Amino acid sequence: SNVLNFYNSSCYVKTGEYITYINKNSFNFGTDADVMVLSATVNEFFTKTAFKNVSFINLGQAEYKGELFQVPARSLSRSCINKNKEGYEKYCNKLCSQFLGEDYNLLTFPEFLLDQKTNVEKQLNLWNCVGLDNFQDKDLAIIGTPHCPPVVYYLMANVLGLNTNKSATEYRAIIRNGYEFYFNTFSEEQELTEIQMYLIESVLMQAVGRARLVNNEKTDMEGFYKELE
């Protein structure tokens, strides 16, 4: 679609009749510039790989006034949901009723909006909720693990200068944030797994942040993620 942007791409992959490409942005701050980046979703590995000779300071998890619940019992990837959409809808409705009651809002994949609980603005979904305050001080259910196609992780690794050898994906045990669980990820290259988890976690953190748990005492959130695929 965007042919001109493709011509300026840093790297591309052709799969069948589709081309996926990536642009690497260059930042010319000058040799004497001091730059500070503040981000709720910044990743240490990703940052140090993208920007050489940086100092990374982790201030730790902010204390919530609201409550965050997480249910990791089932996989809620897009492919699993689509295989049994009716069953997953019943499952998610049951959990939402159990933890949140009947009055809550929903963020999920755009093609999977529960009939009885659509968003305040139906177009709001996992992919486009950054910066919005529609759900501040409201109960919010987040359903889904926002996987990207493997080619996205390969392209990001390429522009970061990592040698991936095109490692295949497999269902295996990984350790993340103090938890050990099974996940569909790359079999050999830890760097690819780090990129994958960074992208998934960033989307989920932004979705969780819509309820402003740091500021609001009455907010309950139901986080359906970190599922065991």
Side-chain angles (χ1 to χ4, degrees):
S1 55
N2 192 343
V3 177
L4 293 179
N5 207 28
F6 164 65
Y7 285 155
N8 294 318
S9 64
S10 307
C11 183
Y12 72 91
V13 174
K14 183 177 183 296
T15 307
E17 53 186 31
Y18 293 97
I19 293 177
T20 306
Y21 64 88
I22 190 169
N23 291 82
K24 182 179 180 180
N25 294 319
S26 298
F27 300 95
N28 298 314
F29 297 121
T31 55
D32 298 327
D34 291 324
V35 180
M36 179 179 292
V37 178
L38 303 176
S39 172
T41 59
V42 70
N43 172 279
E44 184 171 1
F45 165 81
F46 200 85
T47 302
K48 289 184 174 180
T49 304
F51 304 98
K52 312 300 181 185
N53 303 318
V54 299
S55 298
F56 188 93
I57 301 174
N58 187 346
L59 299 180
Q61 176 65 51
E63 183 178 352
Y64 290 158
K65 292 183 178 180
E67 294 179 290
L68 172 65
F69 299 100
Q70 179 177 308
V71 181
R74 283 191 185 184
S75 170
L76 283 167
S77 65
R78 183 188 284 104
S79 60
C80 286
I81 292 174
N82 285 331
K83 288 177 183 176
N84 183 13
K85 192 171 181 180
E86 183 178 349
Y88 271 96
E89 186 168 326
K90 291 179 180 179
Y91 172 72
C92 293
N93 277 328
K94 181 179 179 180
L95 285 176
C96 289
S97 297
Q98 177 183 347
F99 287 96
L100 302 175
E102 299 302 321
D103 185 17
Y104 63 89
N105 293 276
L106 173 67
L107 277 179
T108 185
F109 301 116
E111 68 271 26
F112 179 58
L113 292 170
L114 306 184
D115 292 338
Q116 56 273 56
K117 287 293 173 185
T118 56
N119 296 297
V120 177
E121 299 177 37
K122 193 170 182 179
Q123 67 271 23
L124 298 184
N125 58 71
L126 281 175
W127 304 111
N128 67 353
C129 62
V130 176
L132 300 177
D133 287 327
N134 303 58
F135 306 124
Q136 185 173 182
D137 199 25
K138 297 177 182 178
D139 291 340
L140 177 61
I142 301 170
I143 298 175
T145 302
H147 288 277
C148 295
V151 65
V152 173
Y153 308 131
Y154 289 131
L155 287 171
M156 293 199 71
N158 182 278
V159 297
L160 290 173
L162 302 174
N163 181 17
T164 63
N165 295 319
K166 293 206 172 182
S167 174
T169 58
E170 67 174 359
Y171 186 61
R172 67 178 180 89
I174 64 173
I175 298 176
R176 191 81 178 174
N177 299 326
Y179 294 92
E180 183 175 8
F181 54 95
Y182 280 87
F183 204 78
N184 189 32
T185 187
F186 296 91
S187 56
E188 299 176 5
E189 302 295 339
Q190 182 60 36
E191 291 87 355
L192 280 171
T193 297
E194 189 68 35
I195 291 173
Q196 176 192 22
M197 299 305 294
Y198 165 67
L199 293 179
I200 291 173
E201 289 169 352
S202 295
V203 174
L204 292 173
M205 284 187 213
Q206 290 292 346
V208 168
R210 296 316 94 209
R212 307 304 187 198
L213 291 177
V214 175
N215 303 322
N216 298 308
E217 296 182 359
K218 296 183 179 180
T219 302
D220 293 322
M221 292 187 62
E222 179 59 32
F224 299 99
Y225 55 93
K226 202 186 289 290
E227 63 267 30
L228 314 180
E229 284 197 2

